[in-house]
Amino acid sequence: MVREMINTIPSLDSIPLLSKFEAELSKLKAQSDPRHQFQAFSLRCQNENPTVVLRALAELELYLTEFQSFLHLSAVSEQPDPVITQLVRSLLDACVRLSGGSSPIAILCAKCLGLIGCLDPTRIEAARENQDILVLSNFGKASETIDFVIFFVQEVLVKAFLSATNTRAQSFLGYVIQELLKFCTFDTSVTFRDGSTQSSDTYRRWVAIPETVRNTLTPFLTSKYVLSSPGVPNCVYPLYKTGITHSQWLRDFVFDLLRKGCGANAAEMFPVFRRAVRGQDISIPSFLLPFVALNIVVGGTEEQRNDIASELLVVLSQTVPDNNQFLRDNIVSCSEVLDYFSRWVHEKKKELAGMISLAARQGRALDKAETEPCLVQIAKGEGFLSVIPAKVMSQRAMECRSFSRALYYWEQYIRQQKDHGLDANGLENLYEKLQDIYTHIDEPDGIEGISSHLQVLNIDQQVLEHRKAGRWTAVQSWYELLLTEKPEDTDVQLNLLSSLRESGQHDVLLNTIAGLHESQATVLMTRPFAVEASWVTGKWDKLDHYLPHEDAGFGGDFNVGIGSVLLALYRKDFHHSKEIICTIQEIIARGLSVPATTSLQACHDDMLKFHILTEIEVISGLNENEKPDIPSLLTSLDQRLNVLGAFFVDKQYLLGLRRAAMQLSRHGFSKTDLSSAWLTSARLARKGNFTHQAFNAVLHASQLGDNSATIEHSRLLWREGHHRKAIQSLEGAIAANAFRSHDYVSTTDNTAKPSQNILTARAHLLLAKWIDRAGQTQSDVIIQQYKKAVDLYNRWEKGHYYLGKHYNKLLDSEKAKSPAKQAQTFITGETAKLVIENYLRSLAFGAKYIYQTLPRVLTLWLDLGNDVDKPLDPKYGNDENFRAHAVAQRRKLFGAVNAQVKKYIDRLPPFVFYTAFAQIVARICHSNQSLQAMLVDIVAKVVTTHPQQALWTLLAMIKSSSKDRSHRGVLCMTKIIDNVKKLKTEIAGTEVRTLMGQGQRLSEELLKLCNAEVQVPDKISNIVSLTKQLKFKIATTPCRLVIPLESTLGAILPTVTDNINMKTHKAFPKETITISTFLDDVLVLNSLQRPRKVSVRGSDGRVYGLLCKPKDDLRKDQRLMEFNAMINRSLKRDAESSKRGLYIKTYAVTPLNEECGLIEWVDNLKTLRDILLRIYKQKNISVNYNEIKILLDQASSDASNIHIFKDTVLSQFPPVFHEWFVDMFPEPGAWFAARLKYTRSCAVMSIVGHVLGLGDRHGENILFEEGNGGTFHVDFNCLFDKGLTFEKPELVPFRLTHNMVDAFGAYGFDGPFRKSCELTLGILRSNEDTLMTILETFLYDPTTDFIGKKKRSTGVPDTPEGVLESVRSKVRGLLPAESVPLSVEGYVDELIQQATDPGKLAGMYIGWCAFF
């Protein structure tokens, strides 16, 4: 038992009587890996007891100091460990919950969060689960009302009771709790565990309450509080008066509403609630207001509804001054009421839709008596919401700095004005206001989208665009000009200083501040800028001048606080420096609130501050007892920088602070360490297109004597277009042996070894790439240059990869030539051998290029095996000597390739081959016997090492309908059994053999399940029994195979690119989610083949859905998901794409054989067609397909008839898709996030779908996630422009109908959609080689026909070569019949024009529904 709970036991060092056990406990804890330790710390920090949390935090700080790298490496991996999210969430919640009083919990939380670092919220999102409740029945149902009361008591009243500071307040709250427990029918019997009570709902509700809360509530089960009835004062509405405080207004409002409760339950509860309103914690009336208001609006009189509406209108009509916090709080309360009403109406509509759907499945229609109450309630709720003007709500939201809410209501207002026929000039004014809202929203593309709708941009709007786009030089020029006209204008001064800071011109910034007229206001405004510029430039005298001499800490400004820390370091006052850091940490930690910590995105700025303060403390050596190993510290700092992700500005700020701290540190950092930080800044600036900053950083690195700065300087010259100068600069540095100081000798004995210089190798590789790209040098010279890089540092993945890539380029070049001109090295396979050898070498030293190299190695190797036993193609002529020599040479080279591959089968870790497992298994029946045997070896090695994941693929091969493939599968199994015998431990061998047996039995049952005849007894629910009707043998579970999900089947690749030990990398976590059992209820879908959804309980206790699909070969879907996953990896690696969270929604596809398979179930999806038809039905708009078909035929018959489509067809179906987002996401923040996710995911899939020639994108094949608005595509059968061969060819590149465009927002397809399309296409272009390599493996897969049978059509590829060329042309931006490629922006614009072309849309077949 002690071993099981060892990680949650606190340290016993501080308890003298128990300290003797600490050593033994520490030994046991040391056996636990960091993941389990962090899980335990997470649980301990969730404890309600402050002492327990305090002890946990103290131990966690020490543990993080040693093991933070585990979190940092996981945070940047392809699948970050969930323990990171759990730990950060626990720390943030503990800080908010327990940081009051004099407890050191706040500082300890800050230190722990600082050690974890500022994690990239686009990769790791520790969102807090919403603790809210919705009373759908409006207190009409007893069970729902009791659930509400328990929630109220648990989440609000108990906390208020425990925090009350006087006995009178506690007594009133005690009375309320006592009466509400009676209302819930709780009495002393619920505290006893006997059979009579445990089966009751009352007991189950009681034990569901957390134990700490139950302990507080138990005395009130027997308490005897009595209170006299209060008087009922008459209130005159509106209650709000100028000058009234927020708490007074809120308490009066709620107190009055509580005497008007509607319904029996409300009439019983509300009088009790009233006793907790006056004189109590403000959280009580704040919580109750939305529920009470809705109860009266829906169930009360017209006069009562008008009173509430008028009250809210009076509050919302007040303009909010900057200093009136009371009014701001009132408006927030009103907004919460409206949000709750919106959510309630949405859920009520869903309830009604569910009733109608159930009745339809039962074959009956609902009568009026069943639907009328619900319809009336919805109408009252919607009517109340319509009373509040959208314009007013938007204005108040702007004043309260709730910008998502302001946008939400302002767009509603724009739609209203459009419906009322507002002219273009009027709309332009509204768009200008919209642009103003977007300036405050962290969304980089909205302003540009709005600008496209403005006729002429004034100078302020142009500057705004420049600011958002990061064109700071242009911004600076404008404000410098403006400052000459308005030298005393503080706004102009502030904007100029901001632009100088953002562009990295800190010296200029200091000079500008010195030239400003000094006044009290100017000094306060410029101080943060001056302080930052002083420490960035290392001008400590200036820092001393600008900091306040009264030593007032940081006066609320973080930059000033940092300046105080650094100045203390400069003066060698390390103790004072540490005190200031602790003060800043405590102030920030105590300032964290529940709203500010809802997610990592919400508290990003605070997390960054914690991150920075920790690094200053560590780098400067404030902890005297710590003597860090400098190389290890620098490695840790690199990892910490990586976790920031794509936040360029934050990284530059952090690097500037690092340099300042290094200069002032006790540890004595070298000039090389400083220059390394400067060069990191230069690389970031170059990649962010901030050339001035990059050159400045390179100059600083050069001044420190770092010769490696030449490489970065050359890169910048190349980026600027000075290619000749870049090459000359690099050649000069190499010739001068500039990187000699970085040489080192790696040896394990006393013999001399050649030096391995990574910097010189990088310089040579860069030079090789440039002369290769320039195309002005012979291939032999280029090859020698690549080889120099490899020779200088032969344990470098990148060097081997680029040498192999050049050979691959030569291979493709020879392949394109006519046979008479092809080199002998190509014909014999020598060039292919060189590609294979170098790509294999690169795989031994890293996995960065694994998806470019391994698929290509396999393709070339397998092709060589195909050709080796065949006679030479007649196209190479009749010279027998040449033919005989070529064949002999080919066999010799193939033997050499086989030997090389065999060597790397043994050398490379199995997870490398797992990444291409589908390709390997597809070619298992290769005609060449020696090659076939090696493929069996690879499969056996992968399955032996990763049986829980890889067995799924092998079992499908064994169950293949092809006898040959099935036989090969059995051979693999035999080989695995042989391998298992050689394993180090008997236990490991037994586990693999057991797993193979379990897997075979389960696979057999799943195949039977897929093919079983289904008779659905219950037509209403479509539920059948897994064991009774489908005859599934539940005894095949539990099974140690992983549940086939994307998260469990995907290998986690190493992310660090230099000095990786590939053999020690763990591609899968130790504890993965395996199959515990199957639930008995199976949902049978209504489609033709009757696929069935089964529910699997995992070893983690959660239930997962799998769709069993009969009579469908899922191998094509599986490979396409692999392709999309590759694109997702590219999107994550790109800074701009990552910042926007671009992605394609993917899921696991697991074939069981050629005819059946499993698909990971994705919950809560709605098709576009269902969404639109429901909304149109609500508006009484019906669809007459026959009539529309005739109109579409007329419209597409001649260009002059296109007006029929625009004026007659589209006018029948106004755009309504935007209403779905308003309904599904009634809270403005969630609405904006969902709309952005929809827009961006739609853009990514539009471009990827176009490149792949994906057609048939009708309303059933595009779905949307109800939880977040993301786009989800299904049915990938219409690929590679197959849609062009339809009877009515699909002429649009992707679906972009008026409904979809309208739902993007006021800017339409200009803004986030266009920008996301451009980013996606740009990333596909830069990853063209990878893209084509992966596609090539699909198209030449002998087991799967990706092209399919097509009706012949001009321009539609029907061969693998044709498909590859078509895809390549699209990626490069070549339009059909054009020879000059378009830029990314130009090609995207052309695609958008085609997709929205009325002529093309009118020509689509009727089922595509171009009018939706």
Side-chain angles (χ1 to χ4, degrees):
M1 183 176 176
V2 172
R3 286 181 182 276
E4 289 177 6
M5 301 180 63
I6 188 67
N7 290 330
T8 56
I9 298 174
S11 171
L12 304 179
D13 264 345
S14 58
I15 307 171
L17 287 174
L18 299 176
S19 59
K20 60 184 178 181
F21 300 113
E22 178 59 24
E24 196 63 35
L25 289 173
S26 295
K27 285 181 186 177
L28 290 171
K29 286 182 180 179
Q31 297 171 12
S32 180
D33 60 22
R35 185 174 186 274
H36 288 95
Q37 292 272 26
F38 284 126
Q39 277 181 331
F41 279 121
S42 176
L43 288 171
R44 289 170 66 187
C45 289
Q46 291 169 21
N47 199 289
E48 293 291 331
N49 189 310
T51 307
V52 173
V53 175
L54 184 63
R55 188 68 246 166
L57 290 170
E59 292 176 35
L60 176 59
E61 184 190 2
L62 293 173
Y63 193 78
L64 280 168
T65 304
E66 189 175 353
F67 291 103
Q68 58 182 286
S69 63
F70 169 84
L71 299 177
H72 298 152
L73 291 174
S74 179
V76 296
S77 67
E78 288 186 354
Q79 292 182 30
D81 197 308
V83 75
I84 304 173
T85 299
Q86 296 166 15
L87 185 62
V88 174
R89 183 73 267 156
S90 297
L91 286 170
L92 289 170
D93 289 345
C95 191
V96 172
R97 190 174 70 248
L98 302 171
S99 63
S102 58
S103 169
I105 283 178
I107 289 181
L108 283 171
C109 281
K111 288 183 179 296
C112 291
L113 289 168
L115 285 165
I116 293 170
C118 182
L119 305 175
D120 181 0
T122 64
R123 293 182 58 78
I124 296 168
E125 189 46 277
R128 180 186 291 113
E129 289 186 20
N130 282 334
Q131 293 291 326
D132 56 14
I133 190 167
L134 189 120
V135 187
L136 202 57
S137 68
N138 196 26
F139 301 117
K141 293 181 180 176
S143 61
E144 191 181 49
T145 305
I146 290 172
D147 289 339
F148 169 81
V149 170
I150 293 171
F151 185 90
F152 176 46
V153 170
Q154 177 181 319
E155 298 296 330
V156 183
L157 287 182
V158 167
K159 292 175 182 177
F161 176 81
L162 294 174
S163 64
T165 55
N166 65 74
T167 54
R168 177 178 169 78
Q170 280 196 331
S171 297
F172 272 90
L173 289 172
Y175 168 79
V176 174
I177 293 171
Q178 166 192 293
E179 295 305 304
L180 292 179
L181 291 177
K182 289 178 185 176
F183 179 86
C184 298
T185 68
F186 290 145
D187 55 33
T188 53
S189 65
V190 295
T191 61
F192 302 112
R193 296 184 179 180
D194 57 59
S196 61
T197 60
Q198 287 191 15
S199 60
S200 70
D201 288 339
T202 303
Y203 177 78
R204 281 195 288 269
R205 283 196 175 102
W206 176 257
V207 295
I209 298 171
E211 185 178 1
T212 53
V213 178
R214 291 204 306 270
N215 292 339
T216 305
L217 296 178
T218 300
F220 297 106
L221 295 172
T222 55
S223 59
K224 304 292 183 183
Y225 287 103
V226 178
L227 290 178
S228 58
S229 299
V232 183
N234 290 321
C235 293
V236 179
Y237 282 81
L239 301 175
Y240 176 79
K241 302 288 187 297
T242 304
I244 193 171
T245 66
H246 168 63
S247 58
Q248 185 183 344
W249 171 77
L250 183 62
R251 288 190 176 105
D252 289 348
F253 191 22
V254 174
F255 192 79
D256 184 64
L257 293 180
L258 284 170
R259 66 186 179 86
K260 305 172 183 176
C262 304
N265 290 322
E268 186 177 347
M269 287 188 307
F270 283 12
V272 178
F273 290 167
R274 294 185 83 207
R275 310 314 294 264
V277 172
R278 291 268 171 87
Q280 297 293 347
D281 193 293
I282 194 68
S283 64
I284 297 173
S286 182
F287 172 82
L288 290 172
L289 178 59
F291 301 98
V292 178
L294 183 91
N295 174 262
I296 297 166
V297 165
V298 171
T301 65
E302 187 71 25
E303 182 184 358
Q304 290 171 338
R305 278 196 293 276
N306 291 338
D307 283 345
I308 295 173
S310 67
E311 188 67 34
L312 297 188
L313 278 170
V314 166
V315 173
L316 292 169
S317 63
Q318 307 294 312
T319 303
V320 184
D322 290 339
N323 60 351
N324 193 331
Q325 187 61 42
F326 291 147
L327 184 53
R328 188 173 278 108
D329 290 340
N330 289 348
I331 288 170
V332 169
S333 294
C334 293
S335 300
E336 288 171 351
V337 170
L338 297 176
D339 286 350
Y340 180 74
F341 271 62
S342 298
R343 282 179 55 220
W344 184 85
V345 168
H346 167 67
E347 292 298 327
K348 203 69 181 175
K349 286 179 177 178
K350 279 178 67 176
E351 182 185 55
L352 179 61
M355 290 165 55
I356 294 170
S357 175
L358 178 62
R361 290 200 300 271
Q362 291 173 337
R364 66 183 185 87
L366 290 175
D367 58 39
K368 190 175 180 180
E370 292 177 281
T371 59
E372 187 72 19
C374 198
L375 288 170
V376 169
Q377 289 185 337
I378 291 171
K380 287 180 178 178
E382 289 183 326
F384 182 83
L385 287 170
S386 66
V387 169
I388 312 297
K391 181 179 180 181
V392 170
M393 278 302 302
S394 181
Q395 290 169 338
R396 295 297 84 78
M398 277 293 285
E399 291 161 357
C400 292
R401 304 190 65 77
S402 177
F403 302 115
S404 294
R405 187 180 300 280
L407 181 66
Y408 178 82
Y409 285 106
W410 195 254
E411 286 207 0
Q412 286 186 22
Y413 180 61
I414 289 176
R415 289 185 185 279
Q416 292 168 5
Q417 296 305 302
K418 278 184 178 179
D419 292 343
H420 294 150
L422 186 66
D423 61 20
N425 289 333
L427 281 174
E428 180 141 342
N429 292 332
L430 299 185
Y431 281 126
E432 287 177 4
K433 172 70 173 176
L434 195 61
Q435 193 178 49
D436 183 44
I437 295 172
Y438 265 103
T439 60
H440 301 283
I441 292 178
D442 184 22
E443 200 291 294
D445 311 315
I447 287 180
E448 196 172 333
I450 296 300
S451 297
S452 66
H453 289 266
L454 301 176
Q455 298 296 321
V456 179
L457 295 182
N458 61 38
I459 189 65
D460 290 333
Q461 289 162 348
Q462 290 178 44
V463 170
L464 187 58
E465 274 204 350
H466 289 316
R467 289 178 73 105
K468 276 290 184 177
R471 295 186 287 268
W472 293 106
T473 306
V475 177
Q476 174 192 338
S477 300
W478 165 245
Y479 285 121
E480 284 174 341
L481 182 64
L482 203 59
L483 193 63
T484 59
E485 299 174 11
K486 305 175 180 178
E488 304 300 322
D489 190 320
T490 54
D491 286 339
V492 176
Q493 293 172 356
L494 185 64
N495 284 320
L496 175 59
L497 296 179
S498 296
S499 63
L500 289 169
R501 180 174 64 180
E502 294 294 342
S503 60
Q505 299 181 68
H506 295 98
D507 286 306
V508 179
L509 192 151
L510 283 172
N511 293 334
T512 304
I513 291 173
L516 295 176
H517 172 70
E518 279 201 22
S519 66
Q520 184 65 26
T522 306
V523 168
L524 289 173
M525 178 197 74
T526 60
R527 179 177 290 152
F529 294 95
V531 168
E532 181 184 344
S534 297
W535 57 252
V536 168
T537 55
K539 295 179 178 176
W540 308 113
D541 55 334
K542 294 266 188 184
L543 181 60
D544 188 24
H545 170 73
Y546 285 114
L547 278 174
H549 290 284
E550 63 273 15
D551 195 26
F554 69 109
D557 186 272
F558 184 70
N559 264 334
V560 176
I562 290 295
S564 301
V565 172
L566 294 175
L567 189 61
L569 285 174
Y570 177 67
R571 293 169 174 166
K572 305 298 181 187
D573 190 349
F574 296 103
H575 177 72
H576 184 50
S577 182
K578 189 166 185 177
E579 280 184 344
I580 300 172
I581 286 177
C582 288
T583 301
I584 299 172
Q585 286 173 328
E586 185 171 11
I587 290 171
I588 296 169
R590 290 188 187 279
L592 292 176
S593 62
V594 172
T597 57
T598 53
S599 65
L600 278 181
Q601 185 72 58
C603 61
H604 176 81
D605 289 347
D606 292 321
M607 291 290 288
L608 179 65
K609 290 170 184 174
F610 291 143
H611 184 125
I612 287 166
L613 291 167
T614 296
E615 292 207 357
I616 294 176
E617 198 170 354
V618 171
I619 293 170
S620 57
L622 295 183
N623 298 321
E624 294 182 43
N625 300 328
E626 292 180 9
K627 301 292 182 186
D629 173 40
I630 297 297
S632 298
L633 175 57
L634 292 173
T635 300
S636 175
L637 291 175
D638 287 342
Q639 292 172 353
R640 289 175 64 83
L641 190 70
N642 289 337
V643 302
L644 277 167
F647 289 82
F648 165 81
V649 174
D650 295 344
K651 283 184 172 181
Q652 291 289 32
Y653 184 82
L654 180 61
L655 286 164
L657 272 169
R658 282 184 183 178
R659 291 190 290 269
M662 282 178 177
Q663 292 175 57
L664 306 173
S665 173
R666 282 174 170 170
H667 298 319
F669 287 90
S670 68
K671 286 185 177 181
T672 305
D673 299 331
L674 272 170
S675 68
S676 177
W678 277 114
L679 289 177
T680 303
S681 280
R683 279 191 290 275
L684 286 171
R686 169 170 53 83
K687 291 176 179 178
N689 291 320
F690 295 101
T691 311
H692 171 80
Q693 288 186 44
F695 274 116
N696 183 50
V698 168
L699 184 62
H700 278 89
S702 299
Q703 287 174 339
L704 289 164
D706 193 340
N707 294 326
S708 65
T710 309
I711 297 178
E712 189 57 38
H713 182 252
S714 301
R715 284 182 182 276
L716 284 166
L717 290 172
W718 184 274
R719 170 64 71 93
E720 290 282 278
H722 307 301
H723 295 170
R724 185 177 59 82
K725 285 179 69 177
I727 291 173
Q728 285 177 344
S729 171
L730 203 52
E731 286 177 335
I734 292 170
N737 208 11
F739 313 114
R740 189 73 188 168
S741 61
H742 296 275
D743 284 2
Y744 65 89
V745 177
S746 177
T747 179
T748 55
D749 54 37
N750 295 324
T751 58
K753 297 286 182 182
S755 60
Q756 293 283 284
N757 186 334
I758 181 66
L759 277 172
T760 310
R762 279 185 175 146
H764 277 283
L765 179 60
L766 190 58
L767 185 58
K769 286 162 65 178
W770 284 349
I771 61 176
D772 190 359
R773 202 177 302 172
Q776 298 175 359
T777 312
Q778 290 182 346
S779 183
D780 289 346
V781 176
I782 297 172
I783 289 170
Q784 289 307 311
Q785 188 61 51
Y786 276 119
K787 283 184 175 179
K788 282 181 187 175
V790 169
D791 292 340
L792 282 162
Y793 190 58
N794 57 26
R795 299 183 64 80
W796 189 27
E797 178 194 15
K798 194 172 185 177
H800 293 294
Y801 166 68
Y802 274 100
L803 177 55
K805 186 179 179 182
H806 182 73
Y807 282 126
N808 192 56
K809 177 182 171 183
L810 297 179
L811 186 73
D812 290 339
S813 175
E814 289 294 328
K815 191 176 181 180
K817 293 178 182 177
S818 63
K821 293 183 179 180
Q822 286 175 344
Q824 187 172 330
T825 52
F826 170 77
I827 297 168
T828 58
E830 186 174 348
T831 310
K833 172 179 172 287
L834 290 168
V835 176
I836 292 169
E837 285 178 345
N838 283 283
Y839 276 180
L840 283 173
R841 288 189 192 110
S842 78
L843 285 167
F845 303 114
K848 183 177 181 181
Y849 304 103
I850 192 169
Y851 293 103
Q852 291 95 317
T853 54
L854 186 57
R856 187 64 174 152
V857 164
L858 292 170
T859 299
L860 292 175
W861 177 43
L862 295 165
D863 287 349
L864 286 174
N866 273 335
D867 295 340
V868 71
D869 293 324
K870 294 179 182 176
L872 198 63
D873 196 302
K875 66 184 179 182
Y876 291 113
N878 299 318
D879 186 333
E880 290 300 325
N881 289 333
F882 171 77
R883 294 175 67 84
H885 172 74
V887 169
Q889 194 67 11
R890 187 181 280 178
R891 285 175 182 160
K892 178 183 175 183
L893 289 167
F894 178 66
V897 169
N898 270 358
Q900 194 77 348
V901 172
K902 187 171 180 58
K903 181 172 78 172
Y904 279 93
I905 291 174
D906 297 331
R907 183 176 294 181
L908 294 176
F911 78 82
V912 171
F913 294 105
Y914 180 82
T915 61
F917 207 46
Q919 184 186 358
I920 292 166
V921 168
R923 304 297 293 272
I924 199 73
C925 295
H926 198 281
S927 57
N928 185 280
Q929 294 299 311
S930 61
L931 194 151
Q932 191 182 101
M934 291 169 72
L935 288 173
V936 169
D937 285 344
I938 294 173
V939 171
K941 180 176 180 176
V942 172
V943 176
T944 304
T945 312
H946 306 299
Q948 292 178 292
Q949 294 81 15
L951 258 177
W952 282 110
T953 304
L954 179 55
L955 291 169
M957 182 163 59
I958 291 171
K959 298 297 180 182
S960 171
S961 55
S962 161
K963 289 185 179 179
D964 197 15
R965 284 184 64 74
S966 180
H967 175 63
R968 295 285 175 268
V970 173
L971 284 178
C972 290
M973 281 288 197
T974 305
K975 182 70 177 176
I976 292 164
I977 292 169
D978 290 341
N979 289 353
V980 163
K981 293 174 183 175
K982 300 172 188 175
L983 291 177
K984 292 180 181 178
T985 64
E986 181 62 30
I987 295 173
T990 305
E991 284 181 358
V992 175
R993 284 193 294 270
T994 302
L995 188 56
M996 288 166 64
Q998 288 178 347
Q1000 285 180 295
R1001 289 190 291 275
L1002 180 63
S1003 174
E1004 189 71 41
E1005 287 304 305
L1006 288 171
L1007 279 168
K1008 290 178 183 176
L1009 172 61
C1010 285
N1011 293 315
E1013 290 291 327
V1014 181
Q1015 298 294 327
V1016 183
D1018 185 354
K1019 300 292 183 184
I1020 299 171
S1021 61
N1022 278 12
I1023 299 293
V1024 298
S1025 167
L1026 180 70
T1027 52
K1028 294 176 182 175
Q1029 277 131 319
L1030 297 176
K1031 309 298 181 186
F1032 184 87
K1033 294 178 182 175
I1034 205 71
T1036 54
T1037 60
C1039 175
R1040 291 284 297 156
L1041 283 178
V1042 297
I1043 300 177
L1045 311 170
E1046 189 177 37
S1047 58
T1048 58
L1049 291 175
I1052 302 169
L1053 299 181
T1055 50
V1056 183
T1057 54
D1058 291 331
N1059 302 319
I1060 314 170
N1061 189 336
M1062 291 283 283
K1063 290 187 177 180
T1064 60
H1065 174 72
K1066 303 297 182 188
F1068 298 98
K1070 275 186 182 178
E1071 294 180 9
T1072 189
I1073 305 166
T1074 59
I1075 298 167
S1076 288
T1077 189
F1078 286 79
L1079 306 190
D1080 196 56
D1081 284 350
V1082 177
L1083 173 66
V1084 180
L1085 277 63
N1086 290 324
S1087 52
L1088 181 64
Q1089 303 300 343
R1090 310 306 297 276
R1092 49 230 59 179
K1093 180 209 169 190
V1094 296
S1095 300
V1096 189
R1097 189 177 301 283
S1099 53
D1100 61 347
R1102 295 175 59 190
V1103 175
Y1104 299 87
L1106 296 174
L1107 186 67
C1108 300
K1109 287 203 77 176
K1111 299 175 185 175
D1112 194 357
D1113 188 351
L1114 296 180
R1115 289 175 298 176
K1116 185 190 294 186
D1117 298 69
Q1118 182 190 35
R1119 302 299 290 277
L1120 273 171
M1121 283 302 114
E1122 290 176 9
F1123 180 79
N1124 287 345
M1126 182 274 294
I1127 291 175
N1128 275 339
R1129 280 187 288 271
S1130 301
L1131 292 170
K1132 282 182 181 177
R1133 280 198 299 266
D1134 180 81
E1136 291 299 313
S1137 163
S1138 173
K1139 189 163 64 178
R1140 291 166 174 80
L1142 301 188
Y1143 76 107
I1144 301 173
K1145 179 69 177 179
T1146 54
Y1147 46 89
V1149 179
T1150 310
L1152 294 172
N1153 62 13
E1154 293 88 345
E1155 296 181 345
C1156 304
L1158 307 173
I1159 295 177
E1160 181 180 353
W1161 182 266
V1162 181
D1163 280 314
N1164 303 318
L1165 295 172
K1166 280 287 182 190
T1167 67
L1168 177 64
R1169 183 175 183 273
D1170 286 348
I1171 292 168
L1172 295 179
L1173 284 176
R1174 180 182 62 78
I1175 299 174
Y1176 283 135
K1177 186 176 181 181
Q1178 290 172 356
K1179 297 178 181 296
N1180 294 318
I1181 297 174
S1182 58
V1183 187
N1184 186 329
Y1185 290 100
N1186 291 329
E1187 179 187 315
I1188 293 170
K1189 186 176 184 303
I1190 294 169
L1191 291 172
L1192 290 177
D1193 289 341
Q1194 291 174 359
S1196 58
S1197 63
D1198 191 89
S1200 61
N1201 292 336
I1202 198 60
H1203 65 90
I1204 297 174
F1205 177 72
K1206 293 192 289 187
D1207 301 335
T1208 308
V1209 177
L1210 291 186
S1211 62
Q1212 295 180 45
F1213 304 99
V1216 295
F1217 187 34
H1218 69 274
E1219 294 182 17
W1220 183 75
F1221 288 92
V1222 174
D1223 285 345
M1224 286 301 301
F1225 309 98
E1227 194 279 313
W1231 164 83
F1232 182 62
R1235 195 179 73 177
L1236 260 184
K1237 188 173 277 281
Y1238 152 66
T1239 305
R1240 289 169 173 167
S1241 57
C1242 179
V1244 174
M1245 201 57 213
S1246 294
I1247 294 299
V1248 173
H1250 163 69
V1251 165
L1252 291 176
L1254 177 63
D1256 205 24
R1257 298 298 89 195
H1258 56 72
E1260 294 283 350
N1261 285 340
I1262 300 179
L1263 300 88
F1264 299 96
E1265 298 181 78
E1266 291 185 315
N1268 60 29
T1271 311
F1272 187 92
H1273 283 246
V1274 295
D1275 189 354
F1276 299 104
N1277 284 317
C1278 185
L1279 277 172
F1280 305 126
D1281 296 323
K1282 184 178 178 182
L1284 289 170
T1285 66
F1286 290 174
E1287 185 178 344
K1288 278 214 161 192
E1290 291 193 357
L1291 302 175
V1292 293
F1294 43 76
R1295 187 179 191 93
L1296 198 60
T1297 53
H1298 68 305
N1299 258 303
M1300 295 188 73
V1301 172
D1302 183 71
F1304 294 152
Y1307 36 54
F1309 50 65
D1310 292 306
F1313 179 82
R1314 183 185 291 275
K1315 184 64 177 179
S1316 299
C1317 284
E1318 291 170 356
L1319 283 171
T1320 304
L1321 182 59
I1323 289 165
L1324 293 182
R1325 278 194 188 180
S1326 60
N1327 290 275
E1328 182 187 320
D1329 289 343
T1330 312
L1331 188 79
M1332 303 313 295
T1333 299
I1334 300 287
L1335 268 182
E1336 188 179 43
T1337 66
F1338 296 174
L1339 294 167
Y1340 288 100
D1341 183 343
T1343 65
T1344 309
D1345 182 9
F1346 273 84
I1347 300 173
K1349 294 180 181 178
K1350 299 177 182 174
K1351 189 172 73 174
R1352 287 198 169 273
S1353 178
T1354 306
V1356 179
D1358 56 2
T1359 64
E1361 294 82 3
V1363 167
L1364 290 171
E1365 188 55 40
S1366 171
V1367 171
R1368 188 178 284 110
S1369 295
K1370 290 174 182 176
V1371 170
R1372 293 178 177 176
L1374 279 166
L1375 294 171
E1378 294 287 340
S1379 57
V1380 180
L1382 296 176
S1383 66
V1384 167
E1385 293 80 5
Y1387 194 67
V1388 166
D1389 187 64
E1390 177 62 27
L1391 292 179
I1392 290 174
Q1393 297 306 319
Q1394 289 183 19
T1396 55
D1397 183 346
K1400 292 186 183 332
L1401 288 168
M1404 298 296 288
Y1405 71 95
I1406 184 68
W1408 200 84
C1409 296
F1411 44 89
F1412 273 2

